[in-house]
Amino acid sequence: MKTLLRKLIVMLPVGFQVLEDRGLLGTYSRFRKWENVNKADIKVFLVLCTAMGLMEKHDLETYWSTDQVLQTPGFREIMSRDRFEMILEMLHLNNKNNYIPPGRPHHDPLFKLRPILDSVLPRFRSVYTPHQHITIDEAMIAWKGKLRFRVYIPIKPDKFGIKTYKLCESVSGYTSTLSFYTGKRFDEHGFPVTVSTKEVVMGLLDKCNLLNKGYKLYMDNFYTSPDLMDTLLAEGTMLCGTARINRAEMSDAMKTKLGRGDRIFRRRGNLLAIKWHDKKDVTLLSTFHKAVMKVDISKADREGNFPVKPECPRL
């Protein structure tokens, strides 16, 4: 936290580039009242930002409202609205004069956040060691502003935003590390570079130094493939995940349509492939489960029948 505060205070003067871009200030511009900040100001600013995340309102000004129904206790007492908004606009995390535009060598799409990411992400990995069961999945950071790599995923609760790949502990949900999807990548000659889901998974595991330690990884069908299973098994890491039947090296038996209650098992060494019919056909790959089905007593259908599913641990 101390390191983060020092970086924020050091980078705050860069915010004067905002004034340079604005040019001559108006007679009644609030920036004429600007005063330099100190560590206490940054602490108060971060506390208010955290409080806003806990008490969501429809706009920023509402937190400083004097209306008895809308007002938020504490905000007006510890920092004025103009002071907060000036710090918010002035605060930069990197010097934009060092920004390299897209299409040039060494361009960093996350340039504006890079100092904070380089400071915070290693902390995620160093302060907590996840238990044996871990998972990798996508998450969305809600964002509707202008951004070159903003994505739209209709099945997510936040449909517009920044897509991230997160490595988390399955039991607690603790995030060990994450990476950002920043759009298409290009090599030094300007040709597009395809980044596979296998590279995403291996990159996250390697970044956290979790390979060759006996971890058990769970994923959905966006990532799971026989090739990835073999690679992880060679790296001392086991994997269980739903899979798409059109993945390379999938058994032809997995492409068979099943009826209610039907199931198929196939094994290749330590790799087990299971397909069964639940409400629809479901395909699962695992390198540490047995070809055993069991009754799921946690729920029943309308007729009182309990579904039969693979004997996989429910986390």
Side-chain angles (χ1 to χ4, degrees), residues 193-208:
V193 177
T194 302
V195 179
S196 66
T197 54
K198 177 181 177 180
E199 291 177 299
V200 172
V201 172
M202 298 304 294
L204 291 173
L205 290 169
D206 184 60
K207 189 182 295 184
C208 292

Side-chain angles (χ1 to χ4, degrees), residues 21-292:
D21 294 341
R22 286 173 177 266
L24 185 64
L25 293 176
T27 305
Y28 301 102
S29 174
R30 64 187 175 194
F31 285 101
R32 289 184 175 274
K33 301 178 182 179
W34 172 260
E35 296 178 1
N36 290 335
V37 302
N38 52 33
K39 185 183 294 186
D41 293 326
I42 294 295
K43 285 184 177 180
V44 171
F45 176 82
L46 294 177
V47 166
L48 293 180
C49 289
T50 304
M52 289 176 182
L54 299 174
M55 300 175 291
E56 295 187 13
K57 297 194 175 184
H58 67 281
D59 59 38
L60 190 65
E61 287 73 18
T62 308
Y63 291 98
W64 281 267
S65 174
T66 57
D67 187 281
Q68 291 185 351
V69 177
L70 300 177
Q71 66 179 345
T72 308
F75 274 68
R76 288 187 289 113
E77 287 75 11
I78 62 177
M79 181 176 283
S80 70
R81 186 193 68 186
D82 282 352
R83 178 67 167 168
F84 180 89
E85 290 184 342
M86 281 193 290
I87 294 176
L88 181 63
E89 190 164 353
M90 286 287 198
L91 187 61
H92 285 54
L93 306 180
N94 217 337
N95 190 335
K96 72 175 187 179
N97 290 332
N98 299 328
Y99 177 68
I100 300 175
R104 296 186 180 180
H106 309 296
H107 166 68
D108 182 7
L110 299 172
F111 170 81
K112 292 185 177 181
L113 299 176
R114 186 56 60 190
I116 297 301
L117 294 177
D118 290 344
S119 175
V120 172
L121 291 182
R123 288 280 185 172
F124 287 179
R125 303 189 290 269
S126 65
V127 300
Y128 182 77
T129 301
H131 291 280
Q132 186 181 28
H133 299 280
I134 56 177
T135 182
I136 291 177
D137 201 0
E138 301 169 61
M140 289 283 282
I141 300 174
W143 179 262
K144 291 187 177 180
K146 294 182 179 179
L147 189 64
R148 182 173 59 85
F149 49 86
R150 187 191 69 169
V151 299
Y152 171 69
I153 304 179
I155 63 173
K156 296 290 186 181
D158 295 311
K159 295 175 175 54
F160 292 93
I162 305 169
K163 184 170 73 171
T164 63
Y165 304 103
K166 300 176 65 176
L167 191 156
C168 307
E169 184 185 65
S170 298
V171 178
S172 66
Y174 179 85
T175 299
S176 295
T177 192
L178 57 87
S179 63
F180 294 82
Y181 172 76
T182 55
K184 290 184 178 180
R185 298 184 185 180
F186 298 89
D187 60 19
E188 60 219 10
H189 303 294
F191 295 104
V193 177
T194 302
V195 179
S196 66
T197 54
K198 177 181 177 180
E199 291 177 299
V200 172
V201 172
M202 298 304 294
L204 291 173
L205 290 169
D206 184 60
K207 189 182 295 184
C208 292
N209 194 27
L210 298 182
L211 295 171
N212 291 302
K213 293 184 177 179
Y215 275 94
K216 295 181 179 180
L217 176 63
Y218 296 82
M219 298 188 299
D220 62 24
N221 61 22
F222 181 73
Y223 306 92
T224 310
S225 68
D227 179 43
L228 177 60
M229 312 285 279
D230 294 337
T231 302
L232 286 175
L233 201 57
E235 295 284 353
T237 305
M238 292 167 281
L239 172 60
C240 175
T242 55
R244 300 175 183 177
I245 59 175
N246 60 353
R247 294 287 194 186
E249 300 182 32
M250 286 289 287
S251 170
D252 291 337
M254 297 296 109
K255 301 176 183 179
T256 306
K257 281 287 185 181
L258 301 181
R260 187 177 181 84
D262 293 341
R263 67 210 67 166
I264 297 174
F265 296 94
R266 292 292 185 273
R267 182 176 287 279
R268 188 197 68 191
N270 291 318
L271 175 58
L272 171 68
I274 307 173
K275 185 173 183 177
W276 79 101
H277 187 89
D278 191 10
K279 293 181 180 179
K280 59 181 181 180
D281 287 354
V282 181
T283 305
L284 182 79
L285 299 180
S286 177
T287 54
F288 61 97
H289 288 115
K290 297 179 180 179
V292 177

